[in-house]
Each structure stands twice: as structure tokens, then as C-alpha cells.
Amino acid sequence: MGVGSVETFRGPVDPDRLGVTLIHEHIFVRDPELELNLPDGEWDPSSAVESAVEGLTDLHERGIRTVVDLTVPGLGRDVRLVARVAERVPVNLIASTGWYTSNVLPLYFRFHGPDRMVDRADPLIELFVRDIREGIAGEKVRAGMLKVMTGEQGLTEDVTRVMSAAAVAHQETGVTITTHSHPASRNGMEQQAFLSERGVAPERIIIGHSGDCEDIAYLRELMDNGSTIGMDRFGMEHVLSDDRRVRTVAALLELGYADRMILSHDAAFYSHVTPPAWRARSAPNWRMDTISRKIIPMLRDAGVSSDEITQMMVVNPRRLLEGAA
Ligand SMILES: [Zn+2]
């Protein structure tokens, strides 16, 4: 791994080659235990791979060059399956590490760790650092992003443990942390404070899902403190319309925040939570091509310049993805 290179499924790439980047997406969101016991008729690994290959190839034709897969454990991460997609598409795919839980971790973690029944180093820290340094699950794919979440329940004991482990892994590796925040409770501030107290510079934090929120004062405060905010749910109109999402981005650009926002969809080619048939019916624009097809023209109509779009889709993602130690 050369200095300044960025890890992808197919190995390190020069940051200059990242290009237009969707920095918060999911290839497949799954639950292996549910698949064994309560299978979803819509899940078929081979056809899921085909639809991801098709979708990512189409994105490349639309100018997208890099997609970050923020599917971490807790969301059914399976790098071997995603690698089958990565080897067939022209876009760079970036893997991530962390743990997705809004409340409790799997039972294993209650009994493994410092001063626990199986007294040992925290397996979460081990996992995150190994994913970044050596590769995920014995594969050569290294993680290029850390991902944590706090939900409505806030900093539960286990969520605190995940967030602390991510801060340690960040200090060891320099990899940027993306959060899943719950903007309705403005908890991005709490995430920012928690992580900065543990040595993570706010500049290396993306407060994810901030685009669900229209509270300009709150969003400015996150950015004034140094973080980038994720305007990362375009097409998720069952939560907030794209019109209103675009209006917030345009308002913040007018206030000079182009270097503090990223644009993405938080979409997936398959998710057992929101299976393809449900999406087609209830969230037809929640797809990874919505920014290219629909949102960029809307931003242009709102007076946004191509420099500002390049800043949010090329320059900011590059800054956040490069510079890992
Ligand atoms: Zn996500």
C-alpha cells in the first residue's frame, strides 16, 4: 500500500483516479441468520450479483467512478460476494468496517473482551484494525472507511463500545469515520463530541444522513466544527422529498459550505429490509443513478455551479478517503 493510495476491492488506487464518488451506498444488505431461517423469496445471490454488475456498469456510463459500500457487520457484510461484483465492473468499489447496531451487539461480545469471561483484547478493535490493515475475513480486500451508528436510543453501552473501538482504530490507521446519525434527535452533535474527545479530528468525520434534516442552524454547527455532512439519502422520498433535500443543499451552498457536504443515496442493489419489489413500488427513485439522472439537473435549476458539484462529488470524497496511514 503506497503512501496516499486508497484501498478498493481490486487493490490500492491513486486518489486522482477516484473521480466522481458516491460515498455512502450499499451493495447488498442481508442477514445470514434470517436467510437460513426465514428466507426472502427475492434473495438470490447470483441474480443479485447480476443486477449489481448491471447497475454499476450503468453508473460508470453516467460518469460515476467510485462507490463506497458502507455495509459493515450487522448489515450482512459479505466481501466475497461483493468481490464477484467488483471484478466485473469498471467502477472502484471500496469496502468498510465497523459495526451496525443501534442498541446491542451479538452475545459473543458480552463474553469476549477486557475483564469479560473470555478475558482478552477487545475483539471489535482487533476486527476493525485487521480489516483496514490486513484485509477482511481472510481476503485481500482492505477497508477504506469506518462506519458507526447511534440511533434513537443514543449511546447505549454497546453502541458506546463500538464508537470507542472505532476511535481507536481511527487513531491507529487514519481511516475516516462515517456515522449513521438520527437527525430527528440532532445526535450528530453528540457523535462529533464523543469521537473528538477520543482523538478523532472532526475533519475526519462524516455525519451521515444529515440530509434528512432541514435545520440549517444544526447542520451549520456540525460543519463549523469541522465535519462533513452526508446529504446521502437522495431518492429516499419516503423519508423526505428530493425537492426539500435539494433546497437544503442549495441553501447551504449559498452560505459557502461546498467543501463540507457529500452527495449520495444510501441505496442498495438488494436489502432484505426493503426488498426490491417494495422499493420498486414505494421508493422508485431510491437508486444509485438518481443523483446523475435527477438531482444534478435540480441542483443546476437551483443555481448550483458545476464547480460546486465537483467539489461535493469529487474533491470532498477524495479528501475524506485519502490520507489514511
Ligand atoms: Zn447506509
mmCIF file of all heavy atoms in Angstrom, residues 40 63 102 124 214 269 287 325:
data_model
loop_
_atom_site.group_PDB
_atom_site.id
_atom_site.type_symbol
_atom_site.label_atom_id
_atom_site.label_comp_id
_atom_site.label_asym_id
_atom_site.label_seq_id
_atom_site.Cartn_x
_atom_site.Cartn_y
_atom_site.Cartn_z
ATOM 1 N N ASP A 40 -36.073 -14.818 2.312
ATOM 2 C CA ASP A 40 -36.828 -13.873 1.494
ATOM 3 C C ASP A 40 -36.805 -14.415 0.067
ATOM 4 O O ASP A 40 -35.735 -14.595 -0.514
ATOM 5 C CB ASP A 40 -36.152 -12.496 1.581
ATOM 6 C CG ASP A 40 -36.671 -11.543 0.511
ATOM 7 O OD1 ASP A 40 -37.798 -11.757 0.021
ATOM 8 O OD2 ASP A 40 -35.938 -10.590 0.178
ATOM 9 N N GLY A 63 -20.789 8.443 -15.520
ATOM 10 C CA GLY A 63 -19.669 9.234 -15.018
ATOM 11 C C GLY A 63 -19.243 8.936 -13.595
ATOM 12 O O GLY A 63 -18.271 9.502 -13.089
ATOM 13 N N SER A 102 -27.979 -0.236 16.700
ATOM 14 C CA SER A 102 -28.483 0.962 17.379
ATOM 15 C C SER A 102 -28.617 0.699 18.879
ATOM 16 O O SER A 102 -28.944 1.590 19.632
ATOM 17 C CB SER A 102 -29.844 1.353 16.813
ATOM 18 O OG SER A 102 -30.770 0.300 17.029
ATOM 19 N N LEU A 124 -13.555 -6.117 18.915
ATOM 20 C CA LEU A 124 -14.013 -5.098 17.956
ATOM 21 C C LEU A 124 -12.828 -4.318 17.400
ATOM 22 O O LEU A 124 -12.732 -4.083 16.194
ATOM 23 C CB LEU A 124 -14.987 -4.126 18.624
ATOM 24 C CG LEU A 124 -16.419 -4.603 18.861
ATOM 25 C CD1 LEU A 124 -17.163 -3.560 19.693
ATOM 26 C CD2 LEU A 124 -17.150 -4.862 17.551
ATOM 27 N N GLU A 214 -33.663 19.443 7.986
ATOM 28 C CA GLU A 214 -33.736 20.751 7.328
ATOM 29 C C GLU A 214 -33.418 21.884 8.297
ATOM 30 O O GLU A 214 -33.697 23.048 8.013
ATOM 31 C CB GLU A 214 -35.138 20.934 6.732
ATOM 32 C CG GLU A 214 -35.453 19.909 5.654
ATOM 33 C CD GLU A 214 -36.895 19.984 5.176
ATOM 34 O OE1 GLU A 214 -37.791 19.582 5.962
ATOM 35 O OE2 GLU A 214 -37.126 20.454 4.055
ATOM 36 N N PHE A 269 -28.476 -2.502 -3.985
ATOM 37 C CA PHE A 269 -28.995 -3.335 -5.077
ATOM 38 C C PHE A 269 -29.909 -4.423 -4.525
ATOM 39 O O PHE A 269 -30.767 -4.938 -5.221
ATOM 40 C CB PHE A 269 -27.851 -3.928 -5.914
ATOM 41 C CG PHE A 269 -27.133 -2.871 -6.678
ATOM 42 C CD1 PHE A 269 -25.874 -2.430 -6.301
ATOM 43 C CD2 PHE A 269 -27.734 -2.259 -7.777
ATOM 44 C CE1 PHE A 269 -25.223 -1.423 -6.990
ATOM 45 C CE2 PHE A 269 -27.097 -1.248 -8.481
ATOM 46 C CZ PHE A 269 -25.831 -0.838 -8.086
ATOM 47 N N ARG A 287 -32.374 4.826 -5.876
ATOM 48 C CA ARG A 287 -31.462 4.049 -6.703
ATOM 49 C C ARG A 287 -30.177 4.856 -6.854
ATOM 50 O O ARG A 287 -30.208 6.061 -6.756
ATOM 51 C CB ARG A 287 -32.036 3.851 -8.114
ATOM 52 C CG ARG A 287 -33.452 3.379 -8.222
ATOM 53 C CD ARG A 287 -34.055 3.745 -9.607
ATOM 54 N NE ARG A 287 -33.108 3.518 -10.692
ATOM 55 C CZ ARG A 287 -33.067 2.417 -11.442
ATOM 56 N NH1 ARG A 287 -33.959 1.471 -11.275
ATOM 57 N NH2 ARG A 287 -32.158 2.279 -12.384
ATOM 58 N N ALA A 325 -3.261 6.346 7.205
ATOM 59 C CA ALA A 325 -1.858 5.999 7.427
ATOM 60 C C ALA A 325 -1.541 4.608 6.881
ATOM 61 O O ALA A 325 -2.347 3.711 6.985
ATOM 62 C CB ALA A 325 -1.535 6.062 8.915
#
